Amino acid sequence: MEATVRLDTAYNAGQIDPRIFSGFLEHIGRSIYGGVYDPGNDLSDEDGMRLDVIEAMRGLNMPYVRYPGGNFVSNYDWRDGVGSERKPFPDFAWRATEPNTFGTDEFMKWCRKVGTEPMMAVNLGTLGPTEAAGLVEYCNLDTETHYAQQRRKNASQSPYDVKLWCLGNEMDGPWQAGHISAEQYALKARNAARLMRGMDPSIELVAAGSSGRHMPTYLEWDRTVLETCWDDIDFISAHRYSNNKENDTPGFLAEGVVIDNILNDYAGLLAYVKGLKKSSHDVYVSFDEWNVWYRERDGKNRDGGWQVGPVQVEEVYNLEDALVCAQYLNAFIRRADIVKMTCLAQIVNVIAAVLTGPDGTLKQSIYYPSALYAVAAKGLSLTPVVSAPLYDASDRERVPYVDASASYDEETGELAVFLVNRSVDEQVRVRIELDDRDVIRSGKVQTVTGDDPKLSNTWSNPNAVAPQDGHSSVDGRALVVELPALGMAVATGVETEPRT
Ligand code: AHR
């Protein structure tokens, strides 16, 4: 099969925000206890942090990690997780015992070791603006006031300078502790935003948008929140977990179409509210939970049996899931104009890129799209015009076999191209042409592929789904990439020069 991707550096969606390659770490299952934090394990350092996990995280190059939830945050009192007296409590969201031995200070320390920045979520379920502002004081102020003094005494003389804050989590969901109506949440979030920004005017704030497109209040919830909070927030959150419950690989591989639709929905809504308010302020999308999740989702996964660090929600990922993750990233890059922050949910053990065993870590298939894209996507997001054969993708109708995004670094003149082949059995020869520049060197291509969509990495075969060197060449003025069936390709370091 053959396909063409046409690009022009003048036709772009603006700068790609590196924060779109961030992750999410929640207190749930073995994410913290037995995951990032495992005191007594030979692989852990003097602070109880697993060094192999830190190493694996570094490979993801995540600029931010969102913490501590998720559903967990909506009944969490951060004050129980700092200082010398830690109070264990029963976690309402996942029915586990939270010992509180890992809290805000440990997370900050972990972020430093990994080389990432914290994105903190505050509890707007069972707590409110006062406690949220207290956490901003604890983290960011250098004052002679109670919580700032507590931080100095507990852990750190200098403030943590946390820049990104989520105003609660999925407050539209009846499952959420302290769930309230959109109107009530919007007022609570606005009050919290004002108090928090009163503590530190430099912070950026994310209001909780819809927890998914399946929600009956989808967009209506977001509209209410945006209309009330517009001037007080910087982002509205969106979440999605994709599934292949029907076991229909071609249909599942068309998932990028739905992600595009969601982003279009938000683009329209943001433009509408901005127009309504006659505002010069912009609010962007923080897609702070996205992944594939359906196999380990219900029943026992919701119930940790009041254990500390129970085995819960440990989804095993395969090749087709990785190809869907790559399509999330393509969609985010294409909509660089409105998407400035996203988090792969999650990163350790629970619906995670990395699994831990007593003796080491296993990188799941979904690790690789994020790892490859985060280093390669730099600069402007070029808007691709894809000409590829179409196929019938169940209720997603006629979908092109090739999904693409591209970035262009204005400083170096280098191009990077990100491709997914939705065909299960046919490779595609993709010709990438720039209208205003010539490709002069093909750079490097890495692919992730296999002959079975259900192929997974296992402890005995840890590299079944992993990057391999691919093939590309320069043909005239264009780049040609051999895109394998059931595969993705990342072409980087593609040198270009102005067309003469
Ligand atoms: O990531 C797992 C859960 O999914 C989060 O706690 C919640 O926000 C979402 O429903």
Side-chain angles (χ1 to χ4, degrees):
M1 209 185 322
E2 304 218 327
T4 307
V5 176
R6 286 187 65 188
L7 304 166
D8 188 317
T9 61
Y11 189 40
N12 63 70
Q15 293 289 327
I16 298 165
D17 193 321
R19 295 180 295 181
I20 67 168
F21 301 114
S22 299
F24 173 40
L25 179 71
E26 178 171 9
H27 280 252
I28 161 178
R30 295 193 309 125
S31 203
I32 303 291
Y33 304 105
V36 304
Y37 186 66
D38 200 0
N41 188 302
D42 285 347
L43 294 169
S44 298
D45 67 8
E46 66 287 357
D47 295 314
M49 315 284 180
R50 282 277 294 254
L51 291 166
D52 54 337
V53 174
I54 290 172
E55 198 50 41
M57 288 299 121
R58 286 184 184 147
L60 285 169
N61 272 295
M62 289 180 159
Y64 280 81
V65 173
R66 178 172 178 252
Y67 170 90
N71 296 338
F72 172 83
V73 77
S74 297
N75 188 34
Y76 172 60
D77 191 334
W78 65 270
R79 295 167 298 192
D80 295 341
V82 296
S84 51
E85 268 184 52
R86 304 293 175 104
K87 291 192 201 148
F89 83 101
D91 165 33
F92 165 84
W94 305 104
R95 292 179 60 84
T97 293
E98 171 53 57
N100 264 325
T101 45
F102 188 100
T104 303
D105 297 312
E106 288 73 26
F107 177 61
M108 299 297 160
K109 204 174 245 183
W110 183 80
C111 284
R112 294 222 174 105
K113 291 176 195 245
V114 170
T116 188
E117 289 292 325
M119 178 198 209
M120 294 296 284
V122 297
N123 175 354
L124 292 190
T126 58
L127 297 179
T130 312
E131 294 83 1
L135 183 56
V136 177
E137 177 194 336
Y138 187 87
C139 290
N140 285 11
L141 293 201
D142 212 1
T143 49
E144 291 305 322
T145 52
H146 178 67
Y147 289 132
Q149 283 168 335
Q150 290 289 305
R151 182 204 63 244
R152 280 191 216 101
K153 183 166 150 253
N154 293 339
S156 174
Q157 280 302 314
S158 51
Y160 295 130
D161 198 21
V162 177
K163 288 294 177 215
L164 268 174
W165 295 81
C166 300
L167 300 165
N169 174 71
E170 293 190 350
M171 294 300 298
D172 61 326
W175 60 86
Q176 201 71 208
H179 162 63
I180 42 183
S181 69
E183 290 76 13
Q184 289 168 315
Y185 168 71
L187 291 175
K188 196 171 185 181
R190 190 172 69 185
N191 287 339
R194 289 181 180 172
L195 267 186
M196 291 164 76
R197 236 199 269 279
M199 298 292 112
D200 181 352
S202 74
I203 60 178
E204 288 189 281
L205 295 167
V206 184
S210 288
S211 53
R213 208 181 196 209
H214 59 285
M215 296 299 288
T217 52
Y218 177 64
L219 291 189
E220 192 50 32
W221 168 280
D222 307 73
R223 184 188 59 75
T224 305
V225 172
L226 286 167
E227 286 189 21
T228 305
C229 300
W230 186 265
D231 290 320
D232 295 287
I233 58 171
D234 305 286
F235 295 92
I236 183 97
S237 73
H239 292 176
R240 180 173 177 83
Y241 291 101
S242 306
N243 75 77
N244 188 10
K245 283 185 194 160
E246 307 295 324
N247 196 17
D248 165 15
T249 296
F252 184 49
L253 289 178
E255 176 70 1
V257 172
V258 184
I259 305 158
D260 285 341
N261 289 344
I262 294 171
L263 298 181
N264 280 339
D265 293 344
Y266 277 96
L269 181 62
L270 291 168
Y272 166 75
V273 180
K274 185 174 176 177
L276 200 68
K277 300 244 159 216
K278 301 180 181 70
S279 173
S280 57
H281 175 64
D282 279 306
V283 173
Y284 297 103
V285 174
S286 170
F287 217 115
D288 45 38
E289 288 186 34
W290 63 267
N291 200 346
V292 174
W293 180 21
Y294 62 105
R295 287 154 291 222
E296 299 293 340
R297 192 157 181 164
D298 300 320
K300 64 177 177 22
N301 288 295
R302 300 266 162 193
D303 188 346
W306 304 119
Q307 303 296 305
V308 175
V311 175
Q312 258 176 310
V313 200
E314 300 206 3
E315 189 102 352
V316 173
Y317 288 105
N318 59 33
L319 174 60
E320 65 181 16
D321 301 329
L323 300 182
V324 166
C325 287
Q327 290 179 57
Y328 270 99
L329 295 171
N330 280 347
F332 297 149
I333 291 173
R334 284 193 295 263
R335 290 314 305 251
D337 56 330
I338 57 157
V339 183
K340 308 273 178 203
M341 174 76 199
T342 94
C343 302
L344 170 65
Q346 299 192 16
I347 52 180
V348 183
N349 286 332
V350 169
I351 44 173
V354 172
L355 297 178
T356 62
D359 306 319
T361 54
L362 176 69
K363 290 175 181 150
Q364 298 225 63
S365 62
I366 61 163
Y367 182 93
Y368 294 107
S370 291
L372 294 172
Y373 279 57
V375 286
K378 280 198 197 85
L380 288 173
S381 159
L382 303 190
T383 304
V385 179
V386 176
S387 304
L390 306 176
Y391 73 101
D392 279 319
S394 316
D395 55 352
R396 280 147 199 191
E397 298 174 358
R398 304 276 295 159
V399 173
Y401 276 112
V402 174
D403 184 61
S405 68
S407 69
Y408 173 68
D409 186 335
E410 288 167 295
E411 276 173 30
T412 60
E414 281 185 4
L415 177 74
V417 186
F418 308 90
L419 302 165
V420 176
N421 184 355
R422 294 174 167 132
S423 169
V424 293
D425 49 18
E426 232 187 293
Q427 77 159 44
V428 188
R429 187 160 202 266
V430 187
R431 188 178 170 83
I432 297 120
E433 299 174 353
L434 286 133
D435 284 351
D436 61 337
R437 297 183 73 85
D438 293 342
V439 173
I440 53 170
R441 251 191 43 191
S442 57
K444 179 179 172 154
V445 178
Q446 283 186 288
T447 62
V448 177
T449 186
D451 45 22
D452 177 359
K454 308 298 182 194
L455 192 63
S456 292
N457 292 340
T458 59
W459 290 98
S460 55
N461 189 8
N463 296 314
V465 185
Q468 309 162 17
D469 287 339
H471 303 287
S472 65
S473 54
V474 179
D475 180 15
R477 295 167 161 182
L479 173 74
V480 175
V481 175
E482 307 296 340
L483 180 60
L486 268 179
M488 54 170 280
V490 174
T492 51
V494 181
E495 281 182 34
T496 68
E497 65 180 19
R499 181 145 306 163
T500 46

